[in-house]
Amino acid sequence: MDQDMKGWFTERSPMWPGQAFSLKVNKVLLDTHSKFQHIQVFESSHYGKVLSLDGAIQFTERDEASYQEMITFLPINCHPAPKKVLVVGGGDGGVVRELARHPGVEQVIQCEIDDQVVEACKTHVPSLGCGFSNPKLTLYTGDGAEFLKTTTEKFDIIITDASDPVVSGEDEAESTKDGPAASLFNEDYYSRMKDRLASGGILCCQGESIWLHAELITRLVGKCREIFPVVEYAFTCTPTYPAGQIGFILCSNNPATNFREPVTVWDEGKAENMGLKYYNAAIHRAAFVLPTFISSQLCKTK
Amino acid sequence: MDQDMKGWFTERSPMWPGQAFSLKVNKVLLDTHSKFQHIQVFESSHYGKVLSLDGAIQFTERDEASYQEMITFLPINCHPAPKKVLVVGGGDGGVVRELARHPGVEQVIQCEIDDQVVEACKTHVPSLGCGFSNPKLTLYTGDGAEFLKTTTEKFDIIITDASDPVVSGEDEAESTKDGPAASLFNEDYYSRMKDRLASGGILCCQGESIWLHAELITRLVGKCREIFPVVEYAFTCTPTYPAGQIGFILCSNNPATNFREPVTVWDEGKAENMGLKYYNAAIHRAAFVLPTFISSQLCKTK
C-alpha cells in the first residue's frame, strides 16, 4: 500500500505511535543540530514554511494562527488587567507576536531554552519571527523551569508554549528520550508557576491532544486541581498537529475566574478587524466544550 | 527527510494536495475493486480496523464515533419528531447503528451505491457493520441522487453520508476523476432532497473540511441558502480525516428550526449512559461555532 514519498517530510513520534503525517517539501531552508535538538525549517508545497524540532512539526504558516491566537488570548482575555506576561518557550515568536496585539499588555518577559530556534525563525520565517521585534519584550535564553526558580518577579499571565516532553532518539527509530521541554510537564513546574503568579494570576500551558494523551492530560489536570482553585482544559484545531487538535491547561489563582466567559470580549467582527484568523469570543467559549469520552474523565478529577 | 514506511498505509488525494497521512498496518483484511471503487479494509496497529475507499480513509474504529454520532444526532436532535429517516451513502453501517439508539426513529431507509462496501463492513468490521441489523432498516442498493428522483416517499430527516466527490485516478498518481459520490455535492442534489422532505424536514450532509475546501463549502452553503430558509454549517474533530476535521451542511425547511439549540437535549451524563463517546448537548451547540476565517466568509452568503 506504500506510495512514493520522495521529497516529503514525514513526522513520526513515540508520542503518537502507528501514525505519520507528511508534507511535501519544496525547499529545505535549514537543517541543523543545536545543543538541544534537531532544527529543520522548510518551505512546503501547500502549507507555507514549516518548523520541525526533533522531527515534530511545531508550526506551518497555513494553520499556526489556530494555535498562537488561542494559547495567547484564552488566558489574556480572562484576566481583567494582563499587564505583565511571562512566556516560557515559544521560540518561534508566534505568542509574542500575538501579545503585541493586546493594548493592555505592558511588559513581556520570554524565556526560551534554544536561541538557535529564535534565530532560525527570525531569519527564515519572518511571519512568526517578527514577534521578537515586540518593543515590550525582554528575551532570556535558558530553561524555563530554572528561570522560575531564580526570578523574583511576579506575573499576571504565564504562557508555557512548549514542545512535546518526549521525542524520538535519533539513533534507533523506535527509541525515546526526554526532549528539552520535559521539565515543563510535571506538577513541580506548575507549583513553581503558581509561586510566580501575581494576585489573580492566570497560566496557560500547551496540553497535548485528548485523542493521544488522555492519560497525561487527566493526570496533569488532576494535579493542577490540587494546586489551583480554578483549572480548565480547552482545545484548538490545528490540522498539522498530531490528531489535528491540541489542548491547553488553564489555571487561575483567583477563585472567581470563569475561563469559559472572557472578560475582554472580541466578537467576530472585532476579531476580524484586528487581523485574527481563528480566535473570537464564541470560539473562546466553545474551546472548553469537550467530547463525552474526555469530559467525563476530567470531571472525575474534580 | 524520508523515513522507511514499509508496512504502512498512506493516504494522499488531489482533494488535499501536498499532505499525506499514514497508518501502520498489522494485517490487510480485504483489498478488492468493486464496480465503483477500490475497497480496502485493514487492521491498523493503533487505530483498530480501517476502511479505505479509492485510497481515502472512511473510518478508523478509534475515532469513528466523532463522525457517526455527530452526522446522526446533529439533525435528529433538532427535529421534534424524527420518525422517518433516509440515509444516502453510509455503507459502513455507522449512521444506521447510531439511529438505532434513538427511540423516536420508527423507520430507516438507506440507499448505498456499493453493496460491496456493506458486505465488507458486515464481514470484517462488525463494530460498524452491526448497524445493518437495525430492525427498522430497509436497505436499497443504488445511486442516492437517482433514488431521490424516483421515490415518492417523504422523510423527516435525510442524512447524506458521502465519500469525497473527487478521487485519485489509479493509473497516474496525480490524475483525478469523479468518485461515486460526485452527484451528492451539487445544488441539484440539494433541491431533490428538499422535494423529499416532509413538512419541518431537516437534512444533514457530509460537508468536507473548512481548512481544505473553504471554497466548495462557501459555494454549497450559499446555494443552500437560496433553497432552504435555515442553513448552518457545523463540524466535528475526527483525527484520521484530512486536517483532522470534517463538517456538515444542515438545512431545514422549517423557518423556526434553530440548529444551535437541540430540541432533544442529551447532557453529558445522559450521553455517557447511552454509550455515546463524542456527542452531547454541549458539543452539539459548540459544533456550530467556527473560526473567524471561515465564519466571516460564510456570513457573506447570508
Side-chain angles (χ1 to χ4, degrees), chain A residues 289-293 295, chain B residues 65-78 98 101-102 236 248 259-285 287-288:
Chain A
V289 180
L290 302 177
T292 306
F293 78 88
S295 184
Chain B
S66 64
Y67 177 76
Q68 311 291 355
E69 293 178 9
M70 293 292 274
I71 195 172
T72 305
F73 297 120
L74 287 177
I76 289 283
N77 283 354
C78 285
E98 294 306 318
R101 292 187 204 271
H102 197 290
T236 189
F248 309 106
F259 282 119
R260 290 164 184 252
E261 186 52 56
V263 292
T264 302
V265 178
W266 295 341
D267 63 19
E268 192 183 297
K270 162 99 175 167
E272 198 182 5
N273 287 339
M274 289 177 71
L276 297 175
K277 292 173 190 157
Y278 194 92
Y279 180 92
N280 58 55
I283 280 278
H284 180 124
R285 296 180 191 108
F288 295 88

Side-chain angles (χ1 to χ4, degrees), chain B residues 15 22 25 29 45 48 50 65 76-77 114 128-129 180 188-189 194 199 219 230 238 263 295:
Chain B
M15 282 196 69
S22 307
V25 178
L29 302 173
S45 65
V50 180
I76 289 283
N77 283 354
D114 193 344
L128 283 98
D188 184 46
Y189 177 67
K194 185 176 164 74
S199 171
R219 181 175 60 75
V230 182
T238 305
V263 292
S295 184

Side-chain angles (χ1 to χ4, degrees), chain A:
Chain A
M1 293 189 187
D2 300 322
Q3 297 183 38
D4 172 26
M5 296 289 278
K6 258 182 99 171
W8 291 66
F9 171 90
T10 293
E11 175 192 73
R12 287 169 62 183
S13 167
M15 282 196 67
W16 44 92
Q19 68 188 85
F21 180 67
S22 307
L23 289 171
K24 196 168 185 182
V25 178
N26 279 356
K27 193 180 176 190
V28 177
L29 302 173
L30 180 72
D31 193 344
T32 189
H33 287 77
S34 73
K35 201 168 123 195
F36 300 100
Q37 54 204 341
H38 184 191
I39 304 172
Q40 292 165 295
V41 181
F42 62 91
E43 174 81 44
S44 66
S45 66
H46 289 75
Y47 279 81
K49 289 173 187 164
V50 180
L51 170 70
S52 160
L53 297 178
D54 282 336
I57 293 168
Q58 302 299 304
F59 68 75
T60 82
E61 286 187 302
R62 180 162 159 190
D63 63 358
E64 52 91 7
S66 63
Y67 177 76
Q68 312 291 357
E69 294 178 8
M70 292 294 272
I71 195 173
T72 304
F73 297 122
L74 287 177
I76 289 281
N77 283 354
C78 285
H79 194 295
K83 292 181 185 173
K84 194 164 169 182
V85 181
L86 172 66
V87 179
V88 175
D92 54 31
V95 171
V96 289
R97 179 195 67 194
E98 293 307 319
L99 285 169
R101 291 187 205 272
H102 198 290
V105 173
E106 295 174 358
Q107 194 185 351
V108 180
I109 311 287
Q110 182 172 15
C111 184
E112 160 61 42
I113 198 166
D114 194 344
D115 56 4
Q116 283 192 247
V117 172
V118 174
E119 288 311 312
C121 293
K122 280 164 82 169
T123 304
H124 297 291
V125 198
S127 63
L128 283 99
C130 67
F132 295 110
S133 58
N134 184 336
K136 297 167 187 168
L137 173 67
T138 307
L139 176 64
Y140 295 100
T141 301
D143 178 78
E146 287 303 310
F147 179 84
L148 285 170
K149 246 200 268 190
T150 53
T151 184
T152 55
E153 299 196 68
K154 296 243 176 182
F155 302 92
D156 300 310
I157 303 279
I158 301 177
I159 295 171
T160 304
D161 175 18
S163 50
D164 299 312
V166 176
V167 300
S168 289
E170 297 249 323
D171 296 333
E172 292 168 55
E174 297 303 323
S175 75
T176 68
K177 60 173 187 176
D178 278 359
S183 63
L184 310 181
F185 284 86
N186 59 57
E187 60 189 291
D188 183 46
Y189 178 66
Y190 280 81
S191 294
R192 284 189 203 175
M193 282 194 285
K194 185 176 164 74
D195 287 343
R196 294 295 102 216
L197 281 179
S199 171
I202 282 174
L203 61 85
C204 179
C205 301
Q206 193 267 88
E208 301 295 346
S209 165
I210 56 172
W211 291 96
L212 300 168
H213 314 111
E215 202 180 323
L216 170 72
I217 292 165
T218 307
R219 180 174 61 74
L220 268 181
V221 167
K223 288 293 175 191
C224 287
R225 287 195 164 133
E226 295 171 12
I227 304 172
F228 295 92
V230 182
V231 179
E232 293 272 13
Y233 188 85
F235 76 98
T236 189
C237 295
T238 306
T240 57
Y241 284 155
Q245 265 178 272
I246 195 159
F248 309 106
I249 297 175
L250 289 116
C251 307
S252 175
N253 66 13
N254 176 2
T257 300
N258 176 8
F259 282 119
R260 291 164 184 252
E261 186 51 55
V263 292
T264 301
V265 178
W266 295 341
D267 63 20
E268 192 184 296
K270 162 100 174 164
E272 200 183 3
N273 287 339
M274 290 177 68
L276 297 174
K277 293 173 189 156
Y278 194 92
Y279 181 92
N280 58 56
I283 280 278
H284 180 124
R285 296 179 191 108
F288 295 89
V289 180
L290 302 177
T292 306
F293 78 88
I294 186 76
S295 184
S296 60
Q297 201 166 319
L298 291 182
C299 273
K300 289 173 195 145
T301 69
K302 276 186 182 166

